Amino acid sequence: MPRSPRAWTPTTARIVTAALLLALLSFTWWMLATGTRGAEIANVLALPLAAVSLLTAVVGSVARPAVGDPAVLAAAQRRLSAWSARQETELLRRALLESGELQPANLRSGQWKTVPARTDGGQRRGSVRDIASYYQHLDRGRLVVLGEPGSGKSVALAVLVLGLLKARAAGGDASASTYQRVPVRLSLPTFDPGPGADQQSDLASHDRLRRWLVNQVAAAADEPPALIAAMVEAGMILPVLDGLDEMDADREPATRAALVVRALNCQVDHGIEPVVVACRRARYEELRSVVTPLGERVTMQDASVVLLEPLTIAEVAAYLTRRFPAHGNSKVLESRWAELIGSMRADPDGRLATALRSPLRLFLAIRAYQDPTSRPADLRQIDGSLDHHLFARLIPATLSATKPPAAMDASHVQHWLSTLSRRLRQQRVSGQSGTDLPLHTLSSGIVPGWPMLAVTVANMAVVATCMLGAVHLYADAAPQKFAGGTLRTLTVCAVILTGWRSSHPETALRRFSFGRLRTPSERRALITRGLLGLLVGTTAWAVSGLRVRPAFGVLVGLTIGAAFAVGLGSERGSPRGAPERPSQVLSQIRNFYLVTGTAVGLVVGMGLGAVLVVGVGGGTAAACGALLGAAAAVLFTADSPWPPQVAGSWAAAAKGDLPHGLNKFLDWAHEAGLLRLVNLAVQFRHHELQTWLNEQASPTTRRGADPTTLP
């Protein structure tokens, strides 16, 4: 049985840090005593003390609890619950254009019913607001949420997740013997079944799906993958999988979706696993026509299936009354909307009533006709497609209702959003997600090729310049010690390695948020890491300061120690660092590489400077150390996806495909409800908007004539 990875706790970290510091002090004492009359006494006292200290450090390291330790899992579960609650609350707030709380008379009154399929307990009909209670009465915890396009499946999932988290909090924290699953929503289209997936076994697909789940949760929640894997193995996470219907293109067979369903039906050691899946009704019915190699129909086994029903006209009227009450009477609907409701009641099965009973179309109508001078009843006069009319008015109405970061017109916004929809279509063709745009590759994917090449060449040039400069300075200061061939060979190797790393950006995103330092626990952790960093720094002082100048040694030690502490601190984020806006994802990626790159540069630069100061003098050693530290920083961060993303956004803005100030535009579109942030990717809030944009001819934007540059 493989050994379980181990996790640090405050206690074990303090033991190891204290022991190592004591060992270092003993070593320093021994060095200071060498050569004096008390050398024998110093050695006798120092060396055993150092041995005991190092033994204590080893014991403390071994004593670290495994990631499967109940206390470690319980703490991780609390962090994951807080992260999931923040994510769903924000999504719900934007979806309802409210505070995130489901208030009377808004869309919480949407109904669902069980479809003719096997049920697992619970009532046959209910309200969306009660879907969490319904799920808790299921025996196997397997639920499929179906609905028509725009029926509110995302809202229903958010209500379900928040309801389950609330119930979990009311029941107390998870203990060592009782684990309650934390619901975590994931976007299924980001799952890649891999080449030849239709030929692999269901168990192999299940294992691949589980690895994807672990990696997605670890990246989004900023937790170690080994810890998330232990939580999944312990049954502490409930996957809430959105977008089963978007696994395949609309006009293609549902082969990828069928593979996912078969993987979810796979029997494991402890039985079939609980899961929640959302899908369009039509696509789920298509799945039943897919036949497995064993001749079975593809359907979710042992799962209850609920169907979101359209809103009733009374529910639409109640919601509009709350949004648009008549002047002086909050219980009466504005006359301009009352006229529309009257038309719906006059023809309850007509085109207008059928369309506005959809939460999506109701939202579009409200956004398009929120101006008090507009007449919603004009919808009765539309001869063509109601959807086309409403989507065509969505962007202009959104611009007038919000505060964009710069003056921009609807044609430019539509063109930029069309660029994103085209990028999603390209991803779909290449076998990737057709709904999720990873932020760290958004613009570099829109303008492929030269942004990556430009960053690679720039990184290689910086490393070559810095290392050749250091070699030149060292050769001038110590020609008798200069090993030109060896140093130039190292330079060539470093440049080649930099080029390789630059052309292969990191795929496992690493992020760092300075907001994490706001919590006392994180500040205590930083102090602990700082003490460990001072361990390294004091070693440098022992090597350089005692042999040259104590003041210089202390400076080297403190600098390296601080850099080492910050570098360690950036290795793991916290729930506090979970992004709330698209720009924060890129900022946190940038912060990680800036912080760790600076830390590596300082450690390498000061360390090598301390070594070289003996042979070439302080000034030359400092210059060589600075150049080599800069080269090391660039080499270490060469695989960052952030520089190609920045270069790609500049290139796309120059062509007019994206705005200057892309981050501000994405934040505005997110706040305005056109886009949504799901984990570390952006999606169109409504898939129908993405489809509509693909069907439209993008307006032409002339290069150099863009009046909407964002500051």
Side-chain angles (χ1 to χ4, degrees), residues 394-439:
L394 174 61
I395 294 175
T398 300
L399 283 170
S400 64
T402 59
K403 295 181 179 180
M408 60 178 70
D409 59 48
S411 63
H412 283 92
V413 174
Q414 182 175 326
H415 178 64
W416 297 332
L417 292 176
S418 296
T419 300
L420 302 184
S421 67
R422 288 197 305 272
R423 174 56 183 161
L424 286 170
R425 186 168 54 188
Q426 293 169 357
Q427 289 184 179
R428 169 80 73 189
V429 172
S430 62
Q432 304 175 58
S433 172
T435 60
D436 299 76
L437 274 171
L439 284 163

Short mmCIF file of all heavy atoms in Angstrom, two decimals, residues 394-439:
data_model
loop_
_atom_site.label_atom_id
_atom_site.label_comp_id
_atom_site.label_asym_id
_atom_site.label_seq_id
_atom_site.Cartn_x
_atom_site.Cartn_y
_atom_site.Cartn_z
N LEU A 394 -30.10 43.25 -26.01
CA LEU A 394 -29.46 42.97 -24.73
C LEU A 394 -28.23 43.83 -24.51
O LEU A 394 -28.08 44.47 -23.44
CB LEU A 394 -29.08 41.49 -24.65
CG LEU A 394 -28.28 41.07 -23.42
CD1 LEU A 394 -29.06 41.33 -22.14
CD2 LEU A 394 -27.88 39.60 -23.50
N ILE A 395 -27.32 43.87 -25.46
CA ILE A 395 -26.07 44.61 -25.26
C ILE A 395 -26.30 46.11 -25.15
O ILE A 395 -25.78 46.75 -24.22
CB ILE A 395 -25.07 44.26 -26.38
CG1 ILE A 395 -24.66 42.79 -26.27
CG2 ILE A 395 -23.83 45.16 -26.31
CD1 ILE A 395 -23.76 42.31 -27.39
N PRO A 396 -27.09 46.75 -26.04
CA PRO A 396 -27.36 48.18 -25.85
C PRO A 396 -28.03 48.49 -24.51
O PRO A 396 -27.68 49.48 -23.85
CB PRO A 396 -28.28 48.53 -27.03
CG PRO A 396 -27.98 47.50 -28.06
CD PRO A 396 -27.67 46.24 -27.30
N ALA A 397 -28.98 47.64 -24.11
CA ALA A 397 -29.66 47.88 -22.83
C ALA A 397 -28.70 47.70 -21.66
O ALA A 397 -28.78 48.44 -20.66
CB ALA A 397 -30.84 46.92 -22.69
N THR A 398 -27.79 46.74 -21.77
CA THR A 398 -26.81 46.53 -20.69
C THR A 398 -25.87 47.72 -20.57
O THR A 398 -25.51 48.14 -19.47
CB THR A 398 -26.01 45.24 -20.96
OG1 THR A 398 -26.90 44.13 -21.02
CG2 THR A 398 -24.98 45.00 -19.86
N LEU A 399 -25.45 48.28 -21.70
CA LEU A 399 -24.58 49.46 -21.68
C LEU A 399 -25.27 50.65 -21.02
O LEU A 399 -24.64 51.39 -20.25
CB LEU A 399 -24.16 49.83 -23.10
CG LEU A 399 -23.06 48.97 -23.73
CD1 LEU A 399 -22.92 49.28 -25.21
CD2 LEU A 399 -21.73 49.20 -23.01
N SER A 400 -26.55 50.82 -21.30
CA SER A 400 -27.27 51.96 -20.72
C SER A 400 -27.58 51.75 -19.24
O SER A 400 -27.75 52.72 -18.51
CB SER A 400 -28.57 52.21 -21.49
OG SER A 400 -29.44 51.10 -21.36
N ALA A 401 -27.64 50.50 -18.80
CA ALA A 401 -28.01 50.21 -17.41
C ALA A 401 -26.80 50.10 -16.49
O ALA A 401 -26.96 50.05 -15.27
CB ALA A 401 -28.81 48.92 -17.34
N THR A 402 -25.61 50.04 -17.03
CA THR A 402 -24.41 49.86 -16.22
C THR A 402 -23.41 50.98 -16.50
O THR A 402 -23.65 51.84 -17.34
CB THR A 402 -23.75 48.50 -16.52
OG1 THR A 402 -23.41 48.44 -17.92
CG2 THR A 402 -24.69 47.36 -16.20
N LYS A 403 -22.30 50.92 -15.80
CA LYS A 403 -21.23 51.90 -15.98
C LYS A 403 -20.01 51.19 -16.55
O LYS A 403 -19.18 50.65 -15.79
CB LYS A 403 -20.89 52.57 -14.65
CG LYS A 403 -22.02 53.42 -14.08
CD LYS A 403 -21.60 54.08 -12.77
CE LYS A 403 -22.73 54.95 -12.21
NZ LYS A 403 -22.34 55.59 -10.93
N PRO A 404 -19.88 51.17 -17.86
CA PRO A 404 -18.69 50.52 -18.45
C PRO A 404 -17.43 51.30 -18.11
O PRO A 404 -17.50 52.49 -17.78
CB PRO A 404 -18.98 50.54 -19.95
CG PRO A 404 -19.96 51.65 -20.13
CD PRO A 404 -20.78 51.70 -18.88
N PRO A 405 -16.26 50.67 -18.16
CA PRO A 405 -15.02 51.34 -17.76
C PRO A 405 -14.58 52.43 -18.72
O PRO A 405 -13.66 53.17 -18.43
CB PRO A 405 -13.99 50.19 -17.73
CG PRO A 405 -14.57 49.15 -18.62
CD PRO A 405 -16.04 49.26 -18.50
N ALA A 406 -15.19 52.53 -19.89
CA ALA A 406 -14.87 53.59 -20.84
C ALA A 406 -16.04 53.73 -21.78
O ALA A 406 -16.93 52.88 -21.83
CB ALA A 406 -13.58 53.26 -21.62
N ALA A 407 -16.04 54.82 -22.52
CA ALA A 407 -17.10 55.02 -23.49
C ALA A 407 -16.98 53.97 -24.59
O ALA A 407 -15.96 53.87 -25.26
CB ALA A 407 -17.01 56.43 -24.08
N MET A 408 -17.99 53.18 -24.76
CA MET A 408 -17.98 52.13 -25.78
C MET A 408 -19.38 51.98 -26.34
O MET A 408 -20.37 52.22 -25.64
CB MET A 408 -17.49 50.80 -25.19
CG MET A 408 -18.32 50.26 -24.06
SD MET A 408 -17.77 48.65 -23.41
CE MET A 408 -16.25 49.12 -22.60
N ASP A 409 -19.47 51.62 -27.61
CA ASP A 409 -20.79 51.43 -28.21
C ASP A 409 -21.09 49.95 -28.34
O ASP A 409 -20.23 49.09 -28.21
CB ASP A 409 -20.89 52.16 -29.55
CG ASP A 409 -19.85 51.67 -30.55
OD1 ASP A 409 -19.71 50.44 -30.70
OD2 ASP A 409 -19.18 52.51 -31.16
N ALA A 410 -22.36 49.68 -28.65
CA ALA A 410 -22.82 48.30 -28.67
C ALA A 410 -22.15 47.48 -29.75
O ALA A 410 -21.91 46.28 -29.57
CB ALA A 410 -24.34 48.28 -28.85
N SER A 411 -21.81 48.11 -30.90
CA SER A 411 -21.20 47.35 -31.98
C SER A 411 -19.83 46.83 -31.59
O SER A 411 -19.47 45.69 -31.93
CB SER A 411 -21.09 48.22 -33.24
OG SER A 411 -20.23 49.33 -33.01
N HIS A 412 -19.05 47.65 -30.85
CA HIS A 412 -17.74 47.18 -30.40
C HIS A 412 -17.88 46.06 -29.37
O HIS A 412 -17.16 45.07 -29.43
CB HIS A 412 -16.93 48.33 -29.81
CG HIS A 412 -16.36 49.25 -30.84
ND1 HIS A 412 -17.01 50.36 -31.29
CD2 HIS A 412 -15.19 49.18 -31.53
CE1 HIS A 412 -16.27 50.98 -32.20
NE2 HIS A 412 -15.16 50.28 -32.36
N VAL A 413 -18.80 46.22 -28.43
CA VAL A 413 -18.99 45.19 -27.41
C VAL A 413 -19.42 43.89 -28.07
O VAL A 413 -18.93 42.80 -27.73
CB VAL A 413 -20.02 45.65 -26.37
CG1 VAL A 413 -20.34 44.51 -25.39
CG2 VAL A 413 -19.51 46.86 -25.60
N GLN A 414 -20.34 43.98 -29.03
CA GLN A 414 -20.77 42.76 -29.72
C GLN A 414 -19.62 42.12 -30.47
O GLN A 414 -19.49 40.89 -30.49
CB GLN A 414 -21.91 43.09 -30.69
CG GLN A 414 -22.44 41.86 -31.42
CD GLN A 414 -23.64 42.17 -32.28
OE1 GLN A 414 -24.45 43.03 -31.94
NE2 GLN A 414 -23.77 41.46 -33.39
N HIS A 415 -18.76 42.94 -31.08
CA HIS A 415 -17.62 42.39 -31.81
C HIS A 415 -16.65 41.68 -30.86
O HIS A 415 -16.16 40.58 -31.16
CB HIS A 415 -16.91 43.50 -32.55
CG HIS A 415 -15.70 43.05 -33.30
ND1 HIS A 415 -15.75 42.17 -34.36
CD2 HIS A 415 -14.37 43.33 -33.14
CE1 HIS A 415 -14.54 41.94 -34.83
NE2 HIS A 415 -13.69 42.64 -34.10
N TRP A 416 -16.38 42.30 -29.71
CA TRP A 416 -15.45 41.67 -28.75
C TRP A 416 -16.03 40.38 -28.18
O TRP A 416 -15.32 39.39 -28.03
CB TRP A 416 -15.14 42.67 -27.63
CG TRP A 416 -14.44 43.90 -28.12
CD1 TRP A 416 -13.62 44.01 -29.22
CD2 TRP A 416 -14.51 45.21 -27.56
NE1 TRP A 416 -13.18 45.29 -29.36
CE2 TRP A 416 -13.70 46.06 -28.36
CE3 TRP A 416 -15.16 45.77 -26.47
CZ2 TRP A 416 -13.54 47.41 -28.09
CZ3 TRP A 416 -15.00 47.12 -26.19
CH2 TRP A 416 -14.20 47.93 -26.99
N LEU A 417 -17.33 40.40 -27.87
CA LEU A 417 -17.95 39.18 -27.38
C LEU A 417 -17.99 38.11 -28.47
O LEU A 417 -17.87 36.91 -28.18
CB LEU A 417 -19.37 39.48 -26.87
CG LEU A 417 -19.47 40.34 -25.60
CD1 LEU A 417 -20.92 40.64 -25.29
CD2 LEU A 417 -18.78 39.67 -24.42
N SER A 418 -18.17 38.53 -29.72
CA SER A 418 -18.14 37.57 -30.83
C SER A 418 -16.77 36.94 -30.96
O SER A 418 -16.65 35.76 -31.33
CB SER A 418 -18.53 38.26 -32.13
OG SER A 418 -19.87 38.72 -32.09
N THR A 419 -15.71 37.70 -30.66
CA THR A 419 -14.37 37.13 -30.66
C THR A 419 -14.26 36.01 -29.65
O THR A 419 -13.68 34.95 -29.92
CB THR A 419 -13.33 38.22 -30.36
OG1 THR A 419 -13.40 39.24 -31.36
CG2 THR A 419 -11.92 37.64 -30.33
N LEU A 420 -14.84 36.22 -28.47
CA LEU A 420 -14.81 35.17 -27.44
C LEU A 420 -15.63 33.95 -27.88
O LEU A 420 -15.22 32.81 -27.65
CB LEU A 420 -15.35 35.72 -26.12
CG LEU A 420 -14.62 36.94 -25.53
CD1 LEU A 420 -15.23 37.30 -24.18
CD2 LEU A 420 -13.13 36.68 -25.39
N SER A 421 -16.78 34.20 -28.50
CA SER A 421 -17.61 33.07 -28.95
C SER A 421 -16.92 32.29 -30.07
O SER A 421 -17.02 31.06 -30.13
CB SER A 421 -18.98 33.56 -29.40
OG SER A 421 -18.88 34.34 -30.58
N ARG A 422 -16.17 33.00 -30.94
CA ARG A 422 -15.43 32.29 -31.99
C ARG A 422 -14.33 31.45 -31.38
O ARG A 422 -14.05 30.33 -31.85
CB ARG A 422 -14.83 33.28 -33.00
CG ARG A 422 -15.85 33.92 -33.91
CD ARG A 422 -15.16 34.55 -35.12
NE ARG A 422 -14.11 35.48 -34.74
CZ ARG A 422 -14.31 36.77 -34.52
NH1 ARG A 422 -15.53 37.28 -34.63
NH2 ARG A 422 -13.31 37.56 -34.19
N ARG A 423 -13.69 31.98 -30.36
CA ARG A 423 -12.64 31.21 -29.68
C ARG A 423 -13.21 29.93 -29.07
O ARG A 423 -12.61 28.86 -29.14
CB ARG A 423 -11.98 32.07 -28.60
CG ARG A 423 -10.97 31.33 -27.73
CD ARG A 423 -9.88 30.69 -28.54
NE ARG A 423 -8.96 29.92 -27.71
CZ ARG A 423 -8.16 28.98 -28.16
NH1 ARG A 423 -8.14 28.68 -29.45
NH2 ARG A 423 -7.35 28.32 -27.34
N LEU A 424 -14.40 30.03 -28.48
CA LEU A 424 -15.05 28.84 -27.92
C LEU A 424 -15.39 27.83 -29.02
O LEU A 424 -15.27 26.62 -28.82
CB LEU A 424 -16.31 29.25 -27.16
CG LEU A 424 -16.08 29.92 -25.81
CD1 LEU A 424 -17.38 30.50 -25.27
CD2 LEU A 424 -15.49 28.94 -24.81
N ARG A 425 -15.81 28.33 -30.16
CA ARG A 425 -16.11 27.43 -31.27
C ARG A 425 -14.85 26.72 -31.74
O ARG A 425 -14.87 25.52 -32.07
CB ARG A 425 -16.75 28.22 -32.41
CG ARG A 425 -17.24 27.36 -33.57
CD ARG A 425 -18.11 28.16 -34.51
NE ARG A 425 -17.42 29.36 -34.96
CZ ARG A 425 -18.00 30.33 -35.66
NH1 ARG A 425 -19.28 30.23 -35.98
NH2 ARG A 425 -17.31 31.38 -36.04
N GLN A 426 -13.72 27.43 -31.77
CA GLN A 426 -12.44 26.81 -32.14
C GLN A 426 -12.05 25.74 -31.13
O GLN A 426 -11.55 24.67 -31.49
CB GLN A 426 -11.35 27.87 -32.24
CG GLN A 426 -11.55 28.86 -33.37
CD GLN A 426 -10.61 30.04 -33.27
OE1 GLN A 426 -9.84 30.17 -32.31
NE2 GLN A 426 -10.67 30.94 -34.25
N GLN A 427 -12.27 26.02 -29.85
CA GLN A 427 -11.97 25.02 -28.82
C GLN A 427 -12.83 23.78 -29.00
O GLN A 427 -12.36 22.66 -28.84
CB GLN A 427 -12.20 25.62 -27.43
CG GLN A 427 -11.18 26.67 -27.02
CD GLN A 427 -11.39 27.17 -25.60
OE1 GLN A 427 -10.64 28.01 -25.11
NE2 GLN A 427 -12.42 26.70 -24.92
N ARG A 428 -14.09 23.98 -29.33
CA ARG A 428 -14.99 22.85 -29.54
C ARG A 428 -14.49 21.97 -30.69
O ARG A 428 -14.46 20.74 -30.57
CB ARG A 428 -16.40 23.36 -29.85
CG ARG A 428 -17.36 22.30 -30.33
CD ARG A 428 -17.91 21.49 -29.19
NE ARG A 428 -18.86 22.27 -28.43
CZ ARG A 428 -19.39 21.89 -27.27
NH1 ARG A 428 -18.99 20.76 -26.73
NH2 ARG A 428 -20.25 22.64 -26.63
N VAL A 429 -14.07 22.61 -31.79
CA VAL A 429 -13.59 21.85 -32.94
C VAL A 429 -12.34 21.05 -32.59
O VAL A 429 -12.15 19.92 -33.07
CB VAL A 429 -13.31 22.80 -34.13
CG1 VAL A 429 -12.62 22.07 -35.27
CG2 VAL A 429 -14.61 23.43 -34.61
N SER A 430 -11.50 21.61 -31.73
CA SER A 430 -10.26 20.92 -31.35
C SER A 430 -10.45 19.92 -30.22
O SER A 430 -9.47 19.39 -29.69
CB SER A 430 -9.19 21.94 -30.96
OG SER A 430 -9.61 22.70 -29.83
N GLY A 431 -11.69 19.67 -29.81
CA GLY A 431 -11.96 18.68 -28.77
C GLY A 431 -11.91 19.21 -27.36
O GLY A 431 -11.95 18.42 -26.41
N GLN A 432 -11.84 20.54 -27.18
CA GLN A 432 -11.82 21.13 -25.85
C GLN A 432 -13.22 21.62 -25.49
O GLN A 432 -14.18 21.43 -26.23
CB GLN A 432 -10.81 22.29 -25.82
CG GLN A 432 -9.40 21.91 -26.23
CD GLN A 432 -8.48 23.10 -26.28
OE1 GLN A 432 -8.30 23.82 -25.31
NE2 GLN A 432 -7.90 23.35 -27.45
N SER A 433 -13.31 22.29 -24.36
CA SER A 433 -14.60 22.80 -23.91
C SER A 433 -15.10 23.88 -24.85
O SER A 433 -14.36 24.79 -25.22
CB SER A 433 -14.49 23.36 -22.49
OG SER A 433 -15.69 24.02 -22.11
N GLY A 434 -16.38 23.79 -25.21
CA GLY A 434 -17.00 24.82 -26.03
C GLY A 434 -17.74 25.85 -25.22
O GLY A 434 -18.43 26.71 -25.79
N THR A 435 -17.61 25.80 -23.89
CA THR A 435 -18.30 26.76 -23.02
C THR A 435 -17.36 27.50 -22.09
O THR A 435 -17.70 28.59 -21.63
CB THR A 435 -19.36 26.05 -22.17
OG1 THR A 435 -18.72 25.05 -21.35
CG2 THR A 435 -20.40 25.37 -23.05
N ASP A 436 -16.21 26.94 -21.78
CA ASP A 436 -15.30 27.52 -20.78
C ASP A 436 -14.07 28.12 -21.46
O ASP A 436 -13.35 27.43 -22.19
CB ASP A 436 -14.85 26.46 -19.78
CG ASP A 436 -16.02 25.86 -19.03
OD1 ASP A 436 -16.75 25.02 -19.62
OD2 ASP A 436 -16.22 26.21 -17.86
N LEU A 437 -13.81 29.40 -21.18
CA LEU A 437 -12.62 30.07 -21.68
C LEU A 437 -11.62 30.21 -20.54
O LEU A 437 -11.80 31.06 -19.66
CB LEU A 437 -12.97 31.46 -22.22
CG LEU A 437 -13.45 31.56 -23.67
CD1 LEU A 437 -13.97 32.97 -23.94
CD2 LEU A 437 -12.33 31.22 -24.63
N PRO A 438 -10.57 29.39 -20.49
CA PRO A 438 -9.55 29.56 -19.45
C PRO A 438 -8.92 30.95 -19.55
O PRO A 438 -8.44 31.35 -20.62
CB PRO A 438 -8.52 28.46 -19.76
CG PRO A 438 -9.27 27.47 -20.60
CD PRO A 438 -10.25 28.27 -21.39
N LEU A 439 -8.94 31.69 -18.47
CA LEU A 439 -8.48 33.07 -18.53
C LEU A 439 -7.00 33.19 -18.83
O LEU A 439 -6.57 34.15 -19.46
CB LEU A 439 -8.81 33.77 -17.20
CG LEU A 439 -10.29 34.14 -17.04
CD1 LEU A 439 -10.61 34.42 -15.60
CD2 LEU A 439 -10.62 35.34 -17.91
#
